[in-house]
């Protein structure tokens, strides 16, 4: 049964991608709760971000060094995009940890949750050849973000 | 509090922008290499800033702190970012990004289960709206 489920998921990459997105959301949400405890009790946000990023890099490199060797001939533009991604994402992490050191999760979480709206807006302008964003997806995105805002505001009540 | 909100908005901008670069970069590179490169870049950038702002003394952490931060690194960067990059590669930004937005819901849930908070009506309503949004996105016809 396990192999059947995996087989069906692999034949539908978009469905698999969405499952992975939900799993990533679970990992990110858990880490945000954990980060709040760490930056308020153990170390400054930038120090926490640096050490956590380094640990993640070491673990991933140890697990995936074969892929890294095989990708060394990829186009330079791809490397540039991923370096820019690292700068943007890690800046986001540093700002998020800094925000969590100043305010509780129920205040920071709804504000930082608007990132998908920024992604969709940028994708609409810069990724038109790769993706088409329909009105339905826009409505779904706004509902998800709106729901998250309600949940976090409710938890503060 | 205002500064925290500004920082949170900047965090959202960084993450939102990162997703676009990931989508472009992973057309020619595997997600594991992309994630490693992204993490290496971030470590160097944030580390340089941390050293400049705090100095090396702040990096003298207790074993307890190192243990918790290592767990954070595992959760957020090894699992979270790797799954994030693969989800964007497979499903595209338009489907992956809104689902990733459910991360704060997990944080709030932990606050309720671990922090002992009660389930307020707004929380229940927000949860239903999130489910509705996810269903809309998941059931949208494929368009490329």
């Amino acid at each position: 049964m396990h192999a059947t489920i995996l087989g069906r998921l692999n034949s539908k990459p978009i469905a698999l991608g969405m499952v992975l997105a939900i799993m990533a959301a679970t990992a990110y949400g858990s880490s945000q709760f954990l980060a709040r405890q760490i930056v308020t009790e153990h170390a400054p946000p930038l120090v926490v971000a640096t050490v956590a990023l380094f640990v993640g890099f070491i673990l991933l490199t140890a697990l995936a060094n074969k892929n890294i060797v095989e990708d060394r001939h990829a186009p330079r533009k791809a490397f540039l995009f991923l370096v820019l991604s690292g700068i943007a994402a890690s800046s986001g992490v540093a700002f998020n940890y800094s925000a969590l050191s100043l305010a509780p999760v129920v205040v920071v979480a709804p504000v930082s949750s608007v990132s998908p709206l920024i992604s969709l807006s940028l994708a609409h302008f810069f990724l038109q050849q790769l993706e088409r964003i329909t009105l339905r997806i826009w409505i779904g995105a706004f509902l998800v973000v709106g729901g998250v805002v309600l949940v976090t505001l409710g938890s503060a009540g | 509090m205002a500064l925290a909100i500004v920082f949170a908005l900047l965090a959202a901008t960084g993450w939102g922008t990162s997703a676009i670069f990931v989508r472009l970069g992973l057309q020619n590179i595997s997600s594991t290499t992309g994630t490693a490169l992204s993490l290496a870049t971030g470590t160097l950038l944030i580390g340089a800033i941390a050293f400049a702002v705090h100095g090396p003394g702040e990096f003298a952490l207790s074993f307890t702190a190192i243990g918790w931060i290592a767990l954070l690194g595992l959760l957020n960067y090894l699992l979270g970012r790797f799954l994030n990059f693969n989800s964007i590669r497979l499903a595209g930004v338009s489907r992956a990004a809104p689902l990733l937005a459910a991360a704060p819901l997990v944080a709030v849930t932990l606050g309720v289960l671990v922090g002992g908070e009660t389930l307020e009506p707004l929380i229940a309503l927000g949860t239903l709206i999130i489910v509705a949004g996810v269903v809309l996105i998941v059931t949208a016809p494929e368009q490329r």
Side-chain angles (χ1 to χ4, degrees):
Chain A
M1 181 178 177
H2 181 251
T4 301
I5 293 172
L6 281 180
R8 286 186 178 172
L9 280 175
N10 282 329
S11 67
K12 295 179 184 265
I14 292 180
L16 179 58
M18 289 191 287
V19 169
L20 295 182
I22 293 171
M23 291 172 65
T26 303
Y28 281 146
S30 303
S31 67
Q32 198 165 27
F33 175 79
L34 180 60
R36 165 69 177 166
Q37 316 308 315
I38 295 174
V39 297
T40 54
E41 295 179 18
H42 294 286
L46 290 177
V47 172
V48 173
T50 301
V51 177
L53 282 164
F54 180 70
V55 168
F57 168 70
I58 293 298
L59 290 173
L60 182 67
T61 305
L63 291 171
N65 58 79
K66 183 182 176 187
N67 282 6
I68 293 172
V69 171
E70 290 173 351
D71 283 328
R72 68 188 186 277
H73 297 302
R76 285 186 182 181
K77 189 183 284 189
F79 287 104
L80 175 62
F81 282 134
L82 289 164
V83 166
L84 291 173
S85 165
I87 291 171
S90 301
S91 299
V93 168
F95 280 124
N96 187 52
Y97 290 177
S98 298
L100 286 169
S101 72
L102 298 172
V105 172
V106 294
V107 173
V108 174
V111 178
S112 63
S113 71
V114 302
S115 61
L117 297 182
I118 296 175
S119 298
L120 286 177
S121 301
L122 292 174
H124 176 67
F125 287 112
F126 297 109
L127 297 180
Q128 288 179 4
Q129 291 181 341
L130 293 176
E131 302 189 21
R132 184 163 169 250
I133 302 169
T134 63
L135 177 63
R136 181 179 181 138
I137 291 177
W138 274 111
I139 293 172
F142 273 105
L143 283 176
V144 169
V145 174
V148 170
V149 172
L150 278 178
V151 166
T152 49
L153 288 176
S155 67
Chain B
M1 188 67 77
L3 186 59
I5 294 175
V6 170
F7 282 162
L9 284 171
L10 289 173
T13 303
W15 292 334
T17 306
S18 170
I20 302 303
F21 289 130
V22 165
R23 183 72 172 98
L24 292 170
L26 291 186
Q27 292 181 83
N28 302 106
I29 287 182
S30 68
S31 52
T32 48
T33 300
T35 307
L37 184 57
S38 170
L39 291 172
T41 305
T43 302
L44 291 173
L45 172 67
I46 302 304
I49 296 173
F51 265 85
V53 171
H54 297 294
E58 286 287 354
F59 284 85
L61 301 168
S62 66
F63 284 120
T64 303
I66 291 173
W68 282 118
I69 298 174
L71 177 60
L72 179 62
L74 175 70
L75 265 178
N76 199 333
Y77 305 114
L78 182 61
L79 285 178
R81 191 173 292 193
F82 178 69
L83 291 169
N84 180 359
F85 282 16
N86 273 290
S87 71
I88 291 173
R89 181 177 61 83
L90 292 169
V93 172
S94 58
R95 280 182 173 75
L99 295 174
L100 290 165
L105 181 63
V106 177
V108 171
T109 301
L110 284 172
V112 171
L113 293 178
V114 180
E117 300 176 18
T118 56
L119 187 64
E120 301 292 335
L122 270 180
I123 295 177
L125 177 62
T127 303
L128 289 175
I129 293 175
I130 289 171
V131 170
V134 170
V135 169
L136 265 182
I137 294 169
V138 167
T139 56
E142 296 181 17
Q143 305 232 6
R144 297 260 177 184

